[in-house]
Amino acid sequence: MAKRVLIMYLLNKLPEASSQALFADSQAHIWALEALSYLVQASFTEDRYGVVQTTLPSILSSMLHLQEAVDRHFKLPHASSKPLRSTNSMEDFTYKTLRFALRATLKTAIYRITTTFGNHLKAVQMSAEHRKRLQQFLEFKE
């Protein structure tokens, strides 16, 4: 119990610590995003029955929700705007590198899907906010 109180104290006093905990296991998410985007891309030509296209709205919505969350994180005062080149702690370096890698991979995954499906995405049902966000990717403005 004492360890938990200490952890909660540190997370409240050091916002960077909660951020670090959030992105500590980002590598698995990065690989999942890459794999999912490649599968969706391949489905455009290889999925004759359109199974993947039926889940395309939820896949895109999930990616756009994740992008919104990551963007909100980067706007926080304790989140630095540049990745570290060198640091004293390898853990800190890995965490900061993974944050930026996750953000870049996420944008790449969304671009991979939007460039593959192009104007066909207009037929995909999603919220107006996500449609607007997706349009920025279609116009290469993101």
Side-chain angles (χ1 to χ4, degrees):
M1 183 69 168
K3 289 180 182 179
R4 184 176 176 154
V5 171
L6 177 61
I7 290 170
M8 293 309 294
Y9 172 78
L10 289 174
L11 290 177
N12 290 334
K13 291 296 179 183
L14 304 170
E16 188 71 18
S18 63
S19 179
Q20 188 169 356
L22 184 67
F23 288 97
D25 62 344
S26 292
Q27 187 60 56
H29 297 98
I30 290 169
W31 290 332
L33 280 167
E34 286 179 337
L36 183 60
S37 68
Y38 279 118
L39 287 171
V40 171
Q41 181 185 35
S43 77
F44 186 74
T45 56
E46 297 177 20
D47 185 10
R48 293 185 300 180
Y49 299 108
V51 175
V52 174
Q53 283 81 3
T54 60
T55 58
L56 189 58
S58 63
I59 291 170
L60 285 171
S61 291
S62 296
M63 287 184 175
L64 292 170
H65 276 297
L66 180 58
Q67 185 190 27
E68 290 167 9
V70 170
D71 287 348
R72 275 194 311 269
H73 169 76
F74 273 87
K75 291 177 183 174
L76 295 174
H78 67 272
S80 65
S81 60
K82 296 180 184 174
L84 292 179
R85 299 247 183 253
S86 65
T87 184
N88 296 337
S89 167
M90 188 59 175
E91 226 173 81
D92 190 43
F93 177 77
T94 302
Y95 142 72
K96 293 206 182 253
T97 303
L98 284 174
R99 279 189 321 151
F100 286 94
L102 178 63
R103 184 170 68 167
T105 301
L106 184 54
K107 282 188 177 185
T108 301
I110 296 171
Y111 269 121
R112 186 173 292 122
I113 293 169
T114 56
T115 56
T116 300
F117 283 84
N119 286 330
H120 297 286
L121 290 175
K122 292 179 180 175
V124 174
Q125 288 190 346
M126 61 179 55
S127 70
E129 182 181 325
H130 282 169
R131 184 164 307 286
K132 182 179 176 184
R133 197 77 186 206
L134 206 55
Q135 188 61 36
Q136 290 178 323
F137 280 95
L138 286 167
E139 295 173 357
F140 298 99
K141 292 182 178 178
E142 180 61 36

